[in-house]
């Protein structure tokens, strides 16, 4: 079983790399990762407000994760993930919705910033006003 956190970054320098390596080495989890996904290219040539994915201007997505070995181990691994994610996040609470776990409504909301959230709520109100499709990273109807 694993705990994870996804976040955005616009840069990644040597000091940040050293911090990540130190953090990875400090854990005794059976598996721990800081996955860096460099973004850009064709994806970044699409406007942020053209689709539900509105982080097209970001340079990098980072996914921090740790395996845990049972209920007694989970809280310790979550704390490790949250600590590294906080260091890397620069205060941005958004993430990639495809990688979100059950992190709460505020986290879903932060992953669809500004006008994107409003547009998706209007679409949901038109096509699913009863919110039947809600067992996901839910966007409630407007």
């Amino acid at each position: 079983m694993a705990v994870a956190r996804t976040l955005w970054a616009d840069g990644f320098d040597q000091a940040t790399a050293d911090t990540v390596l130190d953090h990875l080495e400090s854990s005794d989890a059976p598996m721990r990762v800081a996955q860096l996904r460099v973004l850009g290219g064709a994806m970044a040539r699409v406007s942020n407000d053209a689709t539900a994915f509105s982080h097209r201007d970001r340079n990098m997505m980072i996914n921090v994760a740790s395996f845990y070995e049972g209920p007694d181990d989970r809280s310790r691994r979550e704390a490790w993930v949250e600590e590294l994610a906080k260091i890397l996040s620069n205060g941005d609470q958004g993430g990639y919705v495809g990688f979100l776990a059950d992190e709460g409504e505020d986290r879903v909301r932060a992953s669809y910033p500004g006008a994107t959230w409003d547009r998706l709520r209007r679409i949901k109100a038109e096509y699913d006003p009863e919110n039947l499709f809600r067992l996901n990273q839910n966007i409630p109807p407007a």
Side-chain angles (χ1 to χ4, degrees), residues 48-135:
N48 277 347
D49 63 357
T51 70
F53 176 61
S54 57
H55 302 280
R56 295 172 180 278
D57 59 341
R58 300 313 293 261
N59 294 327
M60 182 179 294
M61 179 175 61
I62 302 174
N63 191 43
V64 177
S66 177
F67 282 9
Y68 62 93
E69 298 176 329
D72 296 338
D73 191 36
R74 182 179 176 135
S75 63
R76 184 165 63 114
R77 304 308 178 189
E78 280 179 330
W80 181 90
V81 165
E82 289 301 321
E83 180 183 353
L84 182 53
K86 184 177 179 181
I87 291 167
L88 299 174
S89 74
N90 299 316
D92 184 343
Q93 294 301 307
Y96 179 60
V97 173
F99 286 169
L100 293 185
D102 186 12
E103 299 175 36
E105 184 178 325
D106 288 344
R107 185 91 155 108
V108 175
R109 175 67 181 88
S111 296
Y112 293 115
T116 300
W117 176 259
D118 298 334
R119 185 178 71 251
L120 293 173
R121 289 197 66 209
R122 287 191 305 273
I123 292 167
K124 184 79 174 260
E126 182 177 345
Y127 290 98
D128 184 16
E130 302 301 319
N131 205 21
L132 177 66
F133 298 102
R134 65 185 178 283
L135 301 178

Side-chain angles (χ1 to χ4, degrees), residues 12 15-25 33-34 36 62 80 84 87-88:
F12 199 87
T16 305
D18 292 342
T19 298
V20 169
L21 288 174
D22 289 345
H23 207 76
L24 289 168
E25 291 171 354
V33 300
L36 312 176
I62 302 174
W80 181 90
L84 182 53
I87 291 167
L88 299 174

